Amino acid sequence: MENIENVVEMNNITKIFGNFTANEDINFHVRKGEIHALLGENGAGKSTLMNMLGGVFEPTSGEIKVRGEKVVIDSPDKADELGIGMVHQHFMLVDKFTVTENIMLGREEHNAGYIDTKTAEKRIEELSNRYGLSVDPRAKVEDITVGMQQRTEILKALYKGSEILILDEPTAVLTPQEIEELMNIIRALAAEGRSIIIITHKLDEIKAVADRCTVIRRGKKTGTVNVADTTQQQLADMMVGRAVNFNVEKGPSHPGDVILDVKDLVVEDHRGLNAVDGTSLQIRSGEILGLAGIDGNGQSEFVQALSGMMPVKSGTIHLKGKNVTNMTPREITESGYAHIPEDRHLHGLILDMSLEKNMVLQTYYKEPFSKNGFMQDKEIKDYALRLIDEFDVRMSSEENPARDLSGGNQQKAIIAREIDRDPDLLVAAQPTRGLDVGAIEFIHKRLVEQRDKGKAVLLMSFELDEILDVSDRIAVMYEGKIMAVVDAKETNENELGLLMAGSSLEDTDSKKYEREEKMTDESN
Amino acid sequence: MNQIKSKSFLETAAVPFFSILFGFILGAIVMLAFGYNPLAAYEALFVGVFTNRYFFGEALVQATVLTFTGLAFAVASRAGFFNIGVAGQFLFGWLASVTFALAFPSIPRILMVPLVLGVGMIAGSFYAGIAGFLRAYFGTSEVIVTIMLNHTMLLISNYMTNFVIGSGSKTGFVGDNTSLSVKFLSDLTNGSRLNIGFILAIIFVILYKIFMDHTVRGFELQAVGLNAEAARYAGMSAKRNIIVSMLISGGVAGIGGAIQGIGTFKYLFTQSSIPSQGFDGIAVALLGMGNPYGIFASSFLFGILKQGATFMPSQAGVPNELVDVVIASIIFFVGASYIIRILMKKFGFSKD
């Protein structure tokens, strides 16, 4: 009986790459019309499993049944035929083409040699309206938002008539609002009898939308659970394999001397507008200052100016009393500055260079890593191995390119490198973006550890939870200005949310008061 | 570099091997189509070079120069720049070394040889440096600038040859005080033009390897080439690395030009077009996949092809133009090594 309702059955699936077992004896069943989450840490083997369903890889052993029939999915085309559509994490769209052209790509409808976009456009519009996707079929992909690009990918799958939709980390690139819209779309699709598989490591999203959840840890299945009967804590424990501590454990801070002193900083963005517009900020040793704000309010530019990557138009930056305004990145680094950059692929690592060389990216020119202009390979290797061991960076060989590491391990490598230089100021920009709970826990611990060692820490993040959990003080940035600096213990998400939207502290105080009143009214 | 390292040697060597093989096959098809016997032609090509010490020496003369231009291109490309101006830098090295040698016929040889090679190097460095400087400070494309500089140097060189340091269409011979010939190389090759430049080429191959893999400057160049943004974050100066890589690249090309000028020809003549050694150097660097030993091996192959090709008209009746077609097909497949990688994947020669 069960076979009938399972639209996809993957039985005893094993996938081996060389001598690495990515999936081991996994059973994964999806029912018709359900939203099934696939949860696991970075590198646990979720994407590998789904790529076998999408025709990218073939299993080493095991069988796949679609609608009760045993199938061999040896190409993405075959997956299409079986009604399996995959929306990849990195979109496969041609920027210069319109939405319609992208969707038609590969299956152009033509009329006497001419591509018939009109008919396709109409169908896409219908689909878009039916599921509330609100995508303009005539817009060029380069002109639409990331959220719309993702919906274009979903449309592509629907246009092909996919009954089974695989979404690989669909919310990683979306704003909270777009995530909410996506969830509604997913619900609508499932209500129509389509089966949705979401690959994710975000627990709240699973709770919000999924019916069942299968958890994978290090290539093996931990179990499949009904989401309604399971708490987030239970899911997290299943995924990581031990009890995860969501709360950042930290004692009270003991702020010391001012380490970073920024006065009236103005930084122009690439368009010549003041992205940072007269910001003043101080961070003392032994404290974590959270920099909160909605993306695009000057936080990135602020951090880039601190690190010397963007020129300062006016104002000053002092690091430990030394004026480092408009110094080069190297001079600033040597003054005691360490930085976990926002984009680890673009700025943090040289992906095609070996991990060991990446570990000395800022220090290679100093002894013992080089002498008289020559690199000292042995010292570099010993050093890298020590950091890899201390920070539990998991990889097969330190000589392999950094590209081979999973996201969490890449970030661990960067943090190891930055912390080990023993800086006075550690700036962490979005340090946990895209990471799973295990890695997030690790990174938060390290940040607090640095604070307790008497370092000054600046944590810039768009995640309010993270800011609230980790910081001692919180500065909120809005349109390039600091709206307020508040004590983390005395504020809450609502107050921060209002500050982030541009209200001043006085406004939020009165609003907070009103809200509290309202809340007491409701509870009565 | 590390990507290449993590693959087996066989896998790495397979791509250039198939490039060469397909090149020969295409060349054979072309010859067949025009009614010539490709087997006889290829026999003439290889037998001519390998059975005669003199011609083998001459093939090495060609290989020497190509090693320099190949290494020159590779240095810049490791740092992320496409130095298409190797030809112009090479020609300037040639022009400058001959000019210098003609001007100082009486400096003793022991001093003169290093001096004249140095002059060639500085000339090449300077010429490439123009493009590097413009790129670093004004963001100008080094590709376009070096292409234009190639043509500029062609005209400058021809003007100098015709009106300043020479007359008619060539200069006089340089003095013996600049001679790069060494007895044992000439004897070994029955009096070919093979000279100390060949030894220098081998030394430069090793120097290149040491520079890229073991020096701080080489590390920086590669870091900038692989990810300029991350390199800047790490405190490396992109501007300095652009200029440094172009100076080294041009310098190596310039030495190649000097060796051509005072070693191979001992004079300078009017060039009808930009010297082919520049573009052949790009092919050599691509075929060698940026690896110095690979570059040396592929310049050796090119040297044999260029020298051996001279026998194809006389012994197999294949006209000169068709010989160029054959060589071009090999270069074509070198450039198309991307396609070969795909084919290898399809037929299971390669895992990734």
Side-chain angles (χ1 to χ4, degrees):
Chain A
M1 283 306 287
E2 209 193 347
N3 284 345
I4 298 166
E5 65 171 355
N6 279 342
V7 60
V8 171
E9 273 190 33
M10 297 180 86
N11 292 324
N12 309 104
I13 297 287
T14 296
K15 176 69 185 174
I16 298 172
F17 294 105
N19 48 19
F20 173 68
T21 307
N23 284 166
E24 191 178 339
D25 199 25
I26 291 184
N27 290 302
F28 178 68
H29 297 177
V30 181
R31 294 173 188 154
K32 188 169 164 57
E34 83 166 333
I35 303 174
H36 197 131
L38 189 56
L39 174 68
E41 289 187 277
N42 296 304
K46 296 164 292 190
S47 296
T48 307
L49 187 69
M50 285 305 102
N51 276 330
M52 286 189 271
L53 202 54
V56 180
F57 303 135
E58 280 185 74
T60 312
S61 65
E63 61 161 15
I64 301 175
K65 284 184 180 174
V66 176
R67 293 179 202 88
E69 272 179 51
K70 202 178 158 189
V71 290
V72 176
I73 310 173
D74 53 6
S75 69
D77 285 345
K78 178 74 185 181
D80 279 355
E81 241 172 73
L82 292 167
I84 301 170
M86 195 153 175
V87 175
H88 291 273
Q89 199 175 350
H90 304 285
F91 307 142
M92 317 259 177
L93 297 171
V94 182
D95 282 352
K96 301 270 175 209
F97 279 12
T98 66
V99 168
T100 305
E101 284 164 344
N102 266 289
I103 292 173
M104 289 172 78
L105 213 60
R107 63 200 118 263
E108 297 86 354
E109 281 168 47
H110 43 79
N111 197 346
Y114 287 91
I115 291 183
D116 182 8
T117 29
K118 282 276 168 301
T119 320
E121 239 166 45
K122 243 172 111 188
R123 256 194 74 196
I124 291 162
E125 209 147 29
E126 277 168 25
L127 279 172
S128 171
N129 290 337
R130 196 154 114 214
Y131 300 104
L133 292 170
S134 53
V135 174
D136 176 6
R138 280 165 292 271
K140 276 194 181 162
V141 166
E142 60 186 359
D143 298 333
I144 64 181
T145 64
V146 175
M148 281 193 213
Q149 292 181 5
Q150 184 177 56
R151 298 202 288 271
T152 305
E153 286 278 10
I154 295 175
L155 270 174
K156 213 157 115 184
L158 295 176
Y159 186 83
K160 288 187 281 190
S162 300
E163 292 289 316
I164 302 154
L165 218 60
I166 306 168
L167 305 172
D168 190 358
E169 309 249 353
T171 59
V173 288
L174 302 185
T175 63
Q177 215 178 0
E178 286 175 322
I179 292 176
E180 195 45 51
E181 286 167 20
L182 177 71
M183 295 297 162
N184 289 332
I185 294 163
I186 290 175
R187 285 189 199 103
L189 291 169
E192 268 211 342
R194 293 180 212 263
S195 306
I196 317 286
I197 303 169
I198 313 178
I199 307 178
T200 185
H201 52 238
K202 292 196 182 163
L203 303 169
D204 46 344
E205 284 161 18
I206 295 178
K207 286 299 280 181
V209 76
D211 300 315
R212 291 197 302 160
C213 175
T214 294
V215 185
I216 294 180
R217 182 170 76 237
R218 296 199 184 177
K220 289 182 194 153
K221 178 171 156 180
T222 321
T224 300
V225 294
N226 278 322
V227 173
D229 311 335
T230 318
T231 64
Q232 287 202 22
Q233 183 71 49
Q234 284 167 327
L235 287 173
D237 296 351
M238 281 174 83
M239 167 166 90
V240 182
R242 60 182 163 81
V244 176
N245 192 352
F246 278 114
N247 297 316
V248 179
E249 276 176 29
K250 60 176 193 322
S253 67
H254 304 286
D257 301 339
V258 172
I259 298 292
L260 178 73
D261 190 3
V262 179
K263 277 205 189 82
D264 307 318
L265 192 73
V266 177
V267 181
E268 280 185 351
D269 65 11
H270 303 290
R271 294 162 300 175
L273 305 172
N274 288 351
V276 178
D277 196 5
T279 296
S280 297
L281 200 62
Q282 284 190 338
I283 309 180
R284 293 173 179 276
S285 70
E287 72 165 352
I288 300 178
L289 183 99
L291 185 60
I294 298 166
D295 192 3
N297 275 284
Q299 306 98 305
S300 301
E301 287 83 358
F302 179 71
V303 169
Q304 297 230 8
L306 289 185
S307 56
M309 292 293 283
M310 272 182 118
V312 173
K313 194 178 164 198
S314 66
T316 56
I317 304 169
H318 282 83
L319 185 57
K320 265 178 83 187
K322 179 181 167 191
N323 189 349
V324 294
T325 319
N326 278 329
M327 283 195 169
T328 65
R330 173 153 299 165
E331 286 165 334
I332 294 171
T333 303
E334 291 195 332
S335 310
Y337 178 90
H339 184 193
I340 301 165
E342 209 175 333
D343 187 332
R344 57 177 166 267
H345 287 170
L346 189 63
H347 296 136
L349 294 167
I350 298 185
L351 291 177
D352 289 321
M353 195 172 256
S354 67
L355 178 64
E356 51 181 0
K357 293 271 167 65
N358 267 293
M359 295 314 257
V360 295
L361 213 51
Q362 294 113 328
T363 44
Y364 64 92
Y365 59 93
K366 287 191 209 161
E367 288 201 31
F369 305 126
S370 66
K371 268 181 200 157
N372 307 323
F374 283 88
M375 304 286 280
Q376 303 297 313
D377 291 340
K378 173 130 189 359
E379 271 74 15
I380 292 170
K381 184 181 287 286
D382 290 347
Y383 176 74
L385 286 174
R386 177 170 74 74
L387 288 189
I388 287 169
D389 182 55
E390 252 171 54
F391 286 78
D392 189 30
V393 181
R394 287 182 209 153
M395 79 165 323
S396 48
S397 164
E398 73 285 356
E399 288 176 17
N400 284 1
R403 185 183 292 285
D404 290 358
L405 272 72
S406 70
N409 282 311
Q410 287 176 341
Q411 195 72 319
K412 279 185 189 173
I414 293 174
I415 289 175
R417 182 182 75 200
E418 299 300 320
I419 289 180
D420 199 73
R421 292 209 323 271
D422 199 25
D424 298 300
L425 172 67
L426 175 65
V427 175
Q430 293 267 71
T432 59
R433 183 164 65 177
L435 302 188
D436 58 66
V437 287
I440 291 174
E441 188 191 13
F442 176 92
I443 285 161
H444 286 168
K445 249 190 208 164
R446 293 291 179 165
L447 292 181
V448 172
E449 193 182 283
Q450 286 300 300
R451 178 199 77 165
D452 292 343
K453 278 189 187 164
K455 316 288 184 194
V457 180
L458 174 68
L459 169 68
M460 172 215 147
S461 175
F462 304 136
E463 307 265 349
L464 270 188
D465 291 344
E466 177 169 51
I467 292 269
L468 278 163
D469 283 351
V470 181
S471 317
D472 300 311
R473 291 192 300 143
I474 299 170
V476 182
M477 210 162 175
Y478 174 73
E479 292 193 338
K481 292 187 170 72
I482 300 286
M483 295 305 289
V485 181
V486 293
D487 191 314
K489 287 190 291 291
E490 287 163 14
T491 187
N492 56 38
E493 246 173 78
N494 286 321
E495 186 181 64
L496 291 180
L498 288 168
L499 288 170
M500 282 160 66
S503 311
S504 70
L505 207 52
E506 293 80 57
D507 294 348
T508 62
D509 276 346
S510 55
K511 274 183 194 155
K512 192 159 74 176
Y513 182 65
E514 279 168 28
R515 202 167 49 244
E516 273 162 7
E517 250 185 4
K518 214 169 139 198
M519 276 164 76
T520 38
D521 283 353
E522 277 166 6
S523 58
N524 290 338
Chain B
M1 84 209 123
N2 292 301
Q3 274 175 318
I4 293 168
K5 208 181 195 172
S6 63
K7 284 188 199 162
S8 76
F9 172 74
L10 263 180
E11 266 178 80
T12 313
V15 173
F17 174 78
F18 282 112
S19 309
I20 295 164
L21 185 69
F22 289 161
F24 276 111
I25 293 172
L26 182 64
I29 293 171
V30 172
M31 283 189 274
L32 274 176
F34 286 97
Y36 300 102
N37 181 355
L39 286 180
Y42 287 142
E43 193 191 336
L45 192 158
F46 286 108
V47 171
V49 176
F50 282 104
T51 55
N52 184 315
R53 280 205 213 161
Y54 173 81
F55 290 117
F56 188 73
E58 284 296 314
L60 291 184
V61 168
Q62 306 256 20
T64 300
V65 169
L66 291 177
T67 303
F68 279 100
T69 52
L71 289 175
F73 180 77
V75 173
S77 106
R78 268 296 177 84
F81 307 107
F82 203 72
N83 181 9
I84 210 161
V86 171
Q89 294 139 27
F90 170 84
L91 185 54
F92 195 19
W94 187 348
L95 169 68
S97 63
V98 169
T99 309
F100 184 78
L102 290 173
F104 300 100
S106 52
I107 296 180
R109 190 177 168 204
I110 186 91
L111 226 68
M112 188 62 184
V113 169
L115 270 177
V116 87
L117 290 174
V119 165
M121 183 181 81
I122 290 166
S125 269
F126 165 77
Y127 211 51
I130 296 174
F133 174 80
L134 289 174
R135 167 74 194 253
Y137 289 94
F138 300 99
T140 348
S141 157
E142 78 278 10
V143 175
I144 292 168
V145 172
T146 51
I147 288 177
M148 294 196 292
L149 288 178
N150 277 347
H151 288 272
T152 314
M153 187 45 64
L154 178 69
L155 298 173
I156 291 174
S157 164
N158 286 349
Y159 173 79
M160 291 287 285
T161 311
N162 293 339
F163 302 108
V164 184
I165 55 170
S167 57
S169 60
K170 61 180 187 178
T171 68
F173 283 96
V174 296
D176 277 343
N177 65 335
T178 65
S179 171
L180 295 183
S181 312
V182 278
K183 191 166 181 306
F184 98 93
L185 284 175
S186 316
D187 288 351
L188 210 63
T189 56
N190 272 345
S192 80
R193 295 178 293 176
L194 190 64
N195 57 54
I196 197 128
F198 179 65
I199 311 282
L200 276 177
I202 294 172
I203 291 172
F204 265 78
V205 165
I206 296 164
L207 282 180
Y208 177 95
K209 180 82 182 160
I210 294 172
F211 174 75
M212 279 299 172
D213 288 359
H214 299 293
T215 70
V216 170
R217 185 69 64 220
F219 176 74
E220 278 192 9
L221 283 193
Q222 295 181 65
V224 170
L226 289 171
N227 183 343
E229 277 291 291
R232 199 157 85 82
Y233 246 90
M236 302 175 192
S237 159
K239 283 191 176 111
R240 188 179 61 196
N241 277 295
I242 292 167
I243 295 175
V244 165
S245 71
M246 287 302 273
L247 288 179
I248 297 176
S249 177
V252 174
I255 295 178
I259 289 170
Q260 177 90 333
I262 59 169
T264 312
F265 285 102
K266 300 180 195 285
Y267 66 100
L268 177 60
F269 50 86
T270 306
Q271 311 280 319
S272 55
S273 63
I274 294 159
S276 67
Q277 284 84 355
F279 291 101
D280 289 344
I282 296 176
V284 160
L286 290 175
L287 185 63
M289 301 184 73
N291 175 306
Y293 307 131
I295 289 170
F296 186 68
S298 42
S299 22
F300 180 64
L301 174 81
F302 270 63
I304 289 167
L305 289 178
K306 298 228 146 193
Q307 188 57 45
T310 57
F311 300 105
M312 283 162 73
S314 57
Q315 292 182 23
V318 182
N320 266 323
E321 288 75 9
L322 219 45
V323 172
D324 287 339
V325 171
V326 174
I327 292 187
S329 355
I330 293 168
I331 298 178
F332 169 78
F333 275 102
V334 171
S337 61
Y338 172 71
I339 296 168
I340 290 175
R341 265 177 216 134
I342 289 178
L343 286 176
M344 279 173 56
K345 194 177 148 196
K346 197 132 196 156
F347 294 109
F349 283 105
S350 171
K351 280 185 293 256
D352 54 340

